[in-house]
Amino acid sequence: MKPQDIYGSLVFNFDVMRSRLPKETYMALQQTMATGRRLPTEVASTIANSMKDWALEHGCTHYTHWFQPLTGITAEKHDSFISPLPGGGIIMEFGAKELIRGESDASSFPSGGLRATFEARGYTAWDPTSYPFIKENILCIPTAFCSYDGQALDKKTPLLRSADALNRQALRILRLFGNYEAQRVTAWVGAEQEYFLIDKSLFERRRDLKYTGRTLFGSKAQKGQELSDHYYGSITPRVSAFMRELNEELWKLGIPAKTQHNESAPAQHELAPIYESVNIASDHNQLMMEILKRTALKHEMICLLHEKPFDGINGSGKHNNWSLSTDQGVNLMEPGLTPAEDAQFLLFLCAILKAVDEHADLLRLSVASASNDCRLGSHEAPPTILSVFLGDELTAILDALENHRTYVKETVADMSIGVHVLPKIPRDISDRNRTSPFAFTGNKFEFRALGSSMSIAETNTVLNTAMADALQQFADILEAAEDFQLAREELIINTIKKHKRIIFNGNSYHEDWHKEAKKRGLLHLQTVADCLPYMTLDENIALYARQKVYCETEIYSRQDVLGENYCKIISIEAKTMLDMARQEIIPAIVRYSKLLGESAALKQALLPQEPIAEAGTLSTLNQLTKNAFSACDDLDKSLSNVPLDEGRIACANYCRDILIPSMAQLRQSCDIPEKIVARDLWPFPIYEDLLSST
Ligand code: ADP
Ligand code: MG
């Protein structure tokens, strides 16, 4: 089938609606999608009926409200369309009520105490700004998930709220520049998705991969990524077949999968879609992760989305490319054609510097997880210090502005100087920096700290909110100013002065940067445990309240869920390690030792005069076995002392300070013998096998 024939074929999109809905209904829905306004019930009822007919024609028998609880993955509960008739028999039914609102016994989803146990239900509400689609013969309706008193139990609701906040404030700025045409400003996001593929039969033999998604043991393969021969390398036929099917499945769902290539690490790949408005991009990324996994299975492979499946080689991230654009398609992150447009660009740029500098803690929190902790700060992953890369030229322009100088580009003689000190900003800034967590790439910002398994919703909620808040403060000042032009220049200069410490164009991987960042007073929050307390700082609660994104209880609930998740994941990893070490690894070492011992004894009897070759290794293994036993006992003890009664933050600190070092100790004591014990006695596939299995 041709891509143009299958693209969007499983989506109840504008084309389908236009051909199926009465004109007024279609117009009303379009209005709702464009403005986020409420949908009248009669309209919803007509839409529901038409949606059902369409779904039945595509072989569906069930529908589900598809939502994104705080687990970070998606949830669905299927209901069939059947409705019994009085005289026997059934009809297929689906009304406005079922479309717009669903109920869900949500007591098993994490809510961080938001839902009292006596009120276990939550409800899902249709998000008409995201298209319904068909997945595995189920009609899926994208929904928000809330408690009965309206508190958000999901990741979509705050994202939608933050998009509204951003729109409100960005429009105020545009109006100041005389733009009365724009009706909506939206964040656009392209999320590049990295992942690993390994053979399913090998995966099945490793309990760590099965239970935790990453390897908890394993010494480095002889050949990792040193030769850089995997990056952009030719794709194996098996992976190629997988990618072909993956693209088709994604295209059917209207997900614009565009770029695919091998990544730096062996067995690692990347898929990038074309950017979309943030809410759709977020839904689509959730779907993409699910379809990656499902399609891999069809090819007898496992898709690992964990941020750090293998030690010693690159982990997987999800680059969040983010820009703002008006409903007329003007990208506000792009230098303009005229001095006034450049001034507007600079104002938005300054708002970003302010947003990232003031809310670095929240951005860091939005990418915090036990699994991303394993990735950030090592092997080609951005450090846990937030900074912004602007490139030399843009930085020089800001520098000139700040010091009331005129920027002169050495090689370009003629410059158009606009208002006051503003130079013409080049539109083709092409500097690239691959080490920065937050890099300007010409017409968008690329946030690289997001982890491969995470929902993009939270990061974009923070970006939108922080940006909205900066723009609000700007608009307050500028609307009250007598001379807009003068006030705006002053504002730009003051903002540069105040927030330039967040700009860093150098190598973020280098340890010199850590020292420099400390001098600049930038935050360096290395683990979930470190950032957890920042979530509920007064200023953060105030920010979210001001922008109407989270209320206080919603923030506390998220802190609770993050802390709980962190501790649970680390405990599961620790228990898995113990089982593997005691039941598989130590027995293998013992078996090999026995073999060596038997051989040694034999030689001793036959060749009593000669030194025994096995003795040295046997003695080493004996010591290593001892180490492994004692590391197991230590970890066991650490596990039984988790301070469960002392609250999330205490538990998280305990995980960071006691459990994780204890796990590292056990890993080390088991990874060394892996290199010594006979290959056929080692109980599970090693890195070398896993990384070349597809
Ligand atoms: P790379 O970063 O690998 O050089 P690109 O910059 O071309 O690749 O694109 C990476 C991602 O950024 C893609 O998903 C692309 O659709 C997205 N993207 C491109 N332009 C924008 C934009 N204005 N806003 C948001 N995302 C964008
Ligand atoms: Mg990129």
Side-chain angles (χ1 to χ4, degrees), residues 226-507:
E226 297 82 358
L227 301 178
S228 301
D229 50 355
H230 193 255
Y231 191 56
Y232 282 15
S234 70
I235 297 169
T236 65
R238 185 175 182 192
V239 172
S240 220
F242 155 82
M243 286 182 172
R244 205 171 315 125
E245 182 167 350
L246 173 68
N247 284 327
E248 279 178 16
E249 292 303 312
L250 294 173
W251 290 337
K252 282 185 205 162
L253 290 166
I255 300 174
K258 171 87 174 162
T259 312
Q260 60 195 29
H261 60 81
N262 285 352
E263 255 303 327
S264 310
Q268 194 186 26
H269 311 277
E270 179 182 304
L271 171 61
I274 296 169
Y275 63 102
E276 302 175 283
S277 64
V278 62
N279 178 35
I280 311 282
S282 172
D283 281 0
H284 279 174
N285 185 257
Q286 293 296 126
L287 267 176
M288 182 189 279
M289 290 195 281
E290 188 181 331
I291 289 166
L292 270 164
K293 289 191 167 170
R294 186 151 24 94
T295 311
L297 267 182
K298 285 196 209 160
H299 292 254
E300 297 293 318
M301 296 190 286
I302 298 291
C303 173
L304 299 175
L305 291 176
H306 192 286
E307 281 75 6
K308 195 77 177 176
F310 306 99
D311 261 19
I313 55 173
N314 281 13
S316 298
K318 179 140 52 192
H319 294 172
N320 190 80
N321 294 272
W322 178 85
S323 66
L324 303 183
S325 143
T326 68
D327 50 350
Q328 269 118 10
V330 177
N331 181 353
L332 302 172
M333 306 274 102
E334 191 159 35
L337 294 168
T338 64
E341 281 174 11
D342 274 351
Q344 183 180 297
F345 165 73
L346 280 176
L347 202 61
F348 277 95
L349 186 72
C350 284
I352 290 177
L353 294 179
K354 178 176 160 71
V356 177
D357 190 23
E358 286 180 351
H359 304 294
D361 54 346
L362 292 178
L363 265 179
R364 170 66 186 95
L365 265 163
S366 79
V367 299
S369 73
S371 52
N372 209 19
D373 274 2
C374 306
R375 163 183 168 256
L376 291 174
S378 72
H379 273 100
E380 307 288 308
T384 41
I385 308 164
L386 257 291
S387 65
V388 178
F389 167 86
L390 290 182
D392 291 338
E393 193 159 16
L394 202 48
T395 308
I397 291 171
L398 297 192
D399 189 54
L401 280 171
E402 183 196 345
N403 296 297
H404 298 272
R405 282 188 282 107
T406 305
Y407 169 76
V408 183
K409 190 176 178 181
E410 281 156 320
T411 48
V412 185
D414 71 299
M415 290 182 313
S416 57
I417 301 173
V419 285
H420 197 40
V421 289
L422 273 192
K424 177 79 203 82
I425 297 170
R427 282 172 70 94
D428 58 344
I429 289 176
S430 55
D431 288 17
R432 286 279 161 139
N433 175 318
R434 296 274 171 205
T435 67
S436 173
F438 201 87
F440 182 63
T441 54
N443 61 359
K444 62 186 187 294
F445 278 88
E446 182 170 359
F447 182 49
R448 303 200 179 103
L450 197 55
S452 48
S453 71
M454 300 175 132
S455 154
I456 68 168
E458 223 159 290
T459 277
N460 288 294
T461 300
V462 174
L463 279 175
N464 292 349
T465 307
M467 187 66 176
D469 207 57
L471 292 174
Q472 175 168 27
Q473 291 174 41
F474 284 6
D476 286 348
I477 293 170
L478 296 176
E479 281 169 358
E482 284 185 4
D483 182 333
F484 170 59
Q485 196 164 310
L486 215 62
R488 141 192 124 194
E489 270 167 40
E490 202 176 68
L491 182 59
I492 288 175
I493 290 168
N494 289 342
T495 310
I496 297 170
K497 278 205 170 83
K498 189 153 177 220
H499 297 293
K500 65 179 176 190
R501 65 169 190 165
I502 198 76
I503 303 172
F504 180 63
N505 295 328
N507 181 355

Side-chain angles (χ1 to χ4, degrees), residues 75-357:
E76 43 196 82
K77 179 187 115 202
H78 304 165
D79 276 296
S80 75
F81 292 117
I82 66 164
S83 172
L85 289 173
I90 53 160
I91 51 164
M92 301 302 257
E93 219 174 42
F94 185 58
K97 208 166 99 279
E98 288 83 10
L99 169 63
I100 290 180
R101 199 172 155 114
E103 273 194 33
S104 184
D105 173 9
S107 50
S108 299
F109 291 111
S111 75
L114 258 188
R115 224 178 323 89
T117 33
F118 59 83
E119 182 49 287
R121 288 172 310 163
Y123 72 88
T124 49
W126 182 32
D127 163 21
T129 59
S130 183
Y131 298 129
F133 55 90
I134 294 172
K135 182 166 64 79
E136 306 278 283
N137 288 323
I138 308 288
L139 171 67
C140 300
I141 298 153
T143 52
F145 179 41
C146 296
S147 72
Y148 263 82
D149 50 5
Q151 298 195 330
L153 295 170
D154 68 346
K155 303 210 174 211
K156 185 191 259 287
T157 308
L159 180 63
L160 290 171
R161 293 176 187 159
S162 74
D164 279 346
L166 179 61
N167 172 54
R168 271 194 303 274
Q169 304 307 332
L171 281 179
R172 285 176 69 193
I173 299 287
L174 293 187
R175 300 291 184 254
L176 282 163
F177 278 91
N179 178 342
Y180 293 94
E181 290 86 58
Q183 295 305 311
R184 184 136 190 118
V185 172
T186 313
W188 291 79
V189 170
E192 304 165 54
Q193 174 75 51
E194 294 179 337
Y195 59 93
F196 279 86
L197 286 176
I198 60 169
D199 187 83
K200 181 163 171 275
S201 63
L202 299 185
F203 166 89
E204 306 271 348
R205 288 169 50 203
R206 290 199 58 134
R207 283 196 274 180
D208 48 4
L209 284 174
K210 271 167 66 178
Y211 301 142
T212 73
R214 71 164 171 135
T215 54
L216 298 166
F217 295 101
S219 56
K220 255 176 98 174
Q222 278 85 342
K223 183 174 167 298
Q225 61 192 61
E226 297 82 358
L227 301 178
S228 301
D229 50 355
H230 193 255
Y231 191 56
Y232 282 15
S234 70
I235 297 169
T236 65
R238 185 175 182 192
V239 172
S240 220
F242 155 82
M243 286 182 172
R244 205 171 315 125
E245 182 167 350
L246 173 68
N247 284 327
E248 279 178 16
E249 292 303 312
L250 294 173
W251 290 337
K252 282 185 205 162
L253 290 166
I255 300 174
K258 171 87 174 162
T259 312
Q260 60 195 29
H261 60 81
N262 285 352
E263 255 303 327
S264 310
Q268 194 186 26
H269 311 277
E270 179 182 304
L271 171 61
I274 296 169
Y275 63 102
E276 302 175 283
S277 64
V278 62
N279 178 35
I280 311 282
S282 172
D283 281 0
H284 279 174
N285 185 257
Q286 293 296 126
L287 267 176
M288 182 189 279
M289 290 195 281
E290 188 181 331
I291 289 166
L292 270 164
K293 289 191 167 170
R294 186 151 24 94
T295 311
L297 267 182
K298 285 196 209 160
H299 292 254
E300 297 293 318
M301 296 190 286
I302 298 291
C303 173
L304 299 175
L305 291 176
H306 192 286
E307 281 75 6
K308 195 77 177 176
F310 306 99
D311 261 19
I313 55 173
N314 281 13
S316 298
K318 179 140 52 192
H319 294 172
N320 190 80
N321 294 272
W322 178 85
S323 66
L324 303 183
S325 143
T326 68
D327 50 350
Q328 269 118 10
V330 177
N331 181 353
L332 302 172
M333 306 274 102
E334 191 159 35
L337 294 168
T338 64
E341 281 174 11
D342 274 351
Q344 183 180 297
F345 165 73
L346 280 176
L347 202 61
F348 277 95
L349 186 72
C350 284
I352 290 177
L353 294 179
K354 178 176 160 71
V356 177
D357 190 23

